[in-house]
Amino acid sequence: MGKMMAYCGLICDECNAYKATINNDDALRKQTSEEWSKLYGANVKAGDVNCLGCKSDVNFSYCGMCRIRACNIKRNISNCSECDLFSCDKLEEVFNHAPELRERLR
């Protein structure tokens, strides 16, 4: 099976929220919530670490309100590489944190 790519180019299958959800792994949810809380300076609760990819209805809370996700849904495209505006300001913000996504989308 191929890898599931998010609208922005992240690989959903490699995300701990996705792994914890498909394996119903509460230990991984807890570990991920602690790591993300420190990394992003947020209060991520283990119970919120559930996601089946940004193209599903089961999303991690941040992914559910992602501007890139909303834009792709509105434009009815599979990912940002299909957009006439590639690469827009919203996507450039993501590339600042994960520059490898630019090449993946190209």
Side-chain angles (χ1 to χ4, degrees), residues 4 10 15 32-33 41-42 44 63 69 78 81 83-84 87:
M4 181 174 30
L10 287 170
C15 175
T32 302
S33 71
V44 178
C63 298
R69 178 179 185 265
S78 298
S81 71
C83 184
D84 294 337
S87 162

Coordinates of all heavy atoms in Angstrom, one line a residue, residues 4 10 15 32-33 41-42 44 63 69 78 81 83-84 87:
M4 N 0.1 7.5 2.6 CA -0.9 8.5 2.6 C -0.4 9.9 2.9 O 0.2 10.1 3.9 CB -2.0 8.1 3.7 CG -3.1 9.1 3.7 SD -4.5 8.7 4.9 CE -3.7 7.8 6.2
L10 N 2.9 16.3 4.2 CA 3.3 15.4 5.3 C 2.8 14.0 5.0 O 1.8 13.8 4.3 CB 2.7 15.9 6.6 CG 3.3 17.1 7.3 CD1 2.4 17.6 8.4 CD2 4.7 16.9 7.7
C15 N 3.0 9.7 11.0 CA 2.7 10.5 12.2 C 2.3 9.7 13.4 O 1.5 8.7 13.2 CB 1.6 11.5 11.8 SG 0.9 12.4 13.1
T32 N 3.1 10.9 22.7 CA 3.0 11.9 21.7 C 2.4 13.2 22.3 O 2.9 14.3 21.9 CB 2.0 11.4 20.5 OG1 2.6 10.2 20.0 CG2 1.9 12.5 19.4
S33 N 1.4 13.1 23.1 CA 0.9 14.3 23.8 C 2.0 15.1 24.6 O 2.1 16.3 24.5 CB -0.3 14.0 24.6 OG 0.1 13.3 25.8
G41 N 4.7 24.1 22.8 CA 4.3 24.9 23.9 C 2.8 25.0 24.1 O 2.3 26.0 24.4
A42 N 2.2 23.8 24.0 CA 0.8 23.7 24.1 C 0.4 22.7 25.1 O 1.3 21.9 25.6 CB 0.2 23.3 22.7
V44 N -1.3 19.6 25.0 CA -1.9 18.5 24.2 C -2.3 17.4 25.1 O -1.5 16.8 25.8 CB -1.0 18.0 23.1 CG1 -1.6 16.9 22.3 CG2 -0.5 19.2 22.2
C63 N -5.1 19.7 13.1 CA -5.3 19.4 11.7 C -6.7 19.7 11.2 O -6.9 20.1 10.1 CB -5.0 17.9 11.4 SG -3.2 17.5 11.8
R69 N -5.6 22.6 4.9 CA -6.6 21.6 4.7 C -7.9 22.2 4.1 O -8.5 21.7 3.2 CB -6.9 20.9 6.0 CG -7.9 19.8 5.9 CD -8.1 19.1 7.3 NE -9.0 18.0 7.3 CZ -10.3 18.2 7.6 NH1 -10.8 19.3 8.0 NH2 -11.1 17.1 7.5
S78 N -6.2 17.2 -4.4 CA -5.6 16.1 -3.6 C -4.5 16.7 -2.7 O -4.3 16.1 -1.6 CB -5.1 15.0 -4.5 OG -6.1 14.4 -5.2
S81 N 0.2 20.6 -4.5 CA 0.9 20.5 -5.8 C 0.0 20.7 -6.9 O 0.4 21.1 -8.0 CB 1.7 19.2 -5.9 OG 0.8 18.1 -6.1
C83 N -2.4 22.9 -7.0 CA -3.0 24.3 -7.0 C -2.2 25.2 -7.9 O -1.0 25.2 -8.0 CB -2.9 24.8 -5.5 SG -3.7 26.4 -5.3
D84 N -3.0 26.1 -8.6 CA -2.4 27.1 -9.4 C -1.6 28.1 -8.7 O -0.7 28.8 -9.2 CB -3.5 27.9 -10.2 CG -4.2 27.0 -11.2 OD1 -3.7 25.9 -11.6 OD2 -5.4 27.3 -11.5
S87 N 3.5 27.9 -4.8 CA 3.4 27.8 -3.3 C 3.0 29.1 -2.7 O 3.6 30.1 -2.9 CB 4.8 27.3 -2.8 OG 4.9 27.5 -1.5

